Amino acid sequence: MKKYFVFSFLFFAFTSLHSQNLKVNQSDSNFIKAILTEHNFYRKQIQVASLQWSDILSKEAEQYALQLAKTNTFKHSTNRNNEGENLWMGTANAYTIKDMLGSWTEEAKDFVYNIFPNCSKNGNVVGHFTQIVWRTTTQVGCAIATNGNNDYLVCRYFPAGNWIGEKPY
């Protein structure tokens, strides 16, 4: 009986933890609309073509978001083929999609039009913003995963932006 109890406890603890890795359905039209609206608002301001949603990039973003949530880590993937990547992490269920993306788009206030990476005032980070508006990027796919403590948003872009020695647009 004791072994069964321990096994049952471990099984339910594991499945409970595993079930906390919630995914945003890549075909969720509200999620996709929010992502595209926010990205394309900034692209329209500088007159570059709107990004299109990519189910392939979304699936890759989903796999990586789940990996980050499961391992409770926050670092860029090294396994991307000519894809750009923006990452966000924050307290689970505390932020909207607009809030999450806002952490990237607020970099616009420090952006100075110049050759990358010399595009910022006072050396502040603007690479998330420049990836969003990079002129040759045409597709985006994003996903969110959570481990119950933190949500992880991963957006993948194709083709990648932020090329050293080039202007964003």
Side-chain angles (χ1 to χ4, degrees):
M1 179 71 174
K2 192 174 187 179
K3 286 182 184 179
Y4 176 77
F5 175 76
V6 171
F7 173 77
S8 296
F9 174 78
L10 292 174
F11 175 77
F12 287 114
F14 173 77
T15 55
S16 174
L17 176 63
H18 183 69
S19 68
Q20 287 180 354
N21 290 320
L22 304 175
K23 302 176 209 176
V24 169
N25 187 337
Q26 67 184 2
S27 63
D28 178 342
S29 61
N30 290 328
F31 176 72
I32 293 169
K33 183 179 178 183
I35 294 291
L36 289 176
T37 297
E38 192 71 10
H39 278 75
N40 289 330
F41 172 82
Y42 288 91
R43 294 178 69 84
K44 186 176 182 179
Q45 302 303 310
I46 57 169
Q47 300 176 344
V48 294
S50 295
L51 293 177
Q52 301 301 310
W53 185 259
S54 166
D55 287 338
I56 293 170
L57 293 174
S58 178
K59 192 64 158 169
E60 292 174 6
E62 178 181 52
Q63 290 170 354
Y64 193 60
L66 283 169
Q67 180 181 332
L68 293 174
K70 285 178 184 178
T71 60
N72 202 33
T73 57
F74 189 68
K75 62 182 180 177
H76 281 285
S77 170
T78 56
N79 190 20
R80 294 177 276 135
N81 294 325
N82 195 26
E83 294 174 4
E85 180 178 75
N86 279 349
L87 304 178
W88 180 92
M89 180 185 83
T91 303
N93 302 310
Y95 298 91
T96 66
I97 299 299
K98 190 169 178 77
D99 292 335
M100 294 173 188
L101 296 175
S103 71
W104 302 335
T105 58
E106 73 182 17
E107 293 175 5
K109 70 182 179 347
D110 293 317
F111 174 76
V112 176
Y113 186 73
N114 203 348
I115 294 171
F116 190 82
N118 304 317
C119 299
S120 70
K121 298 176 188 173
N122 304 319
N124 294 332
V125 173
V126 296
H128 302 97
F129 175 73
T130 54
Q131 176 57 82
I132 288 170
V133 299
W134 201 265
R135 76 183 176 287
T136 57
T137 299
T138 59
Q139 299 175 27
V140 63
C142 304
I144 297 174
T146 185
N147 60 16
N149 293 318
N150 292 303
D151 289 337
Y152 295 83
L153 170 65
V154 176
C155 287
R156 293 277 176 93
Y157 302 87
F158 183 82
N162 292 346
W163 292 101
I164 293 173
E166 293 184 19
K167 290 187 176 182
Y169 52 90

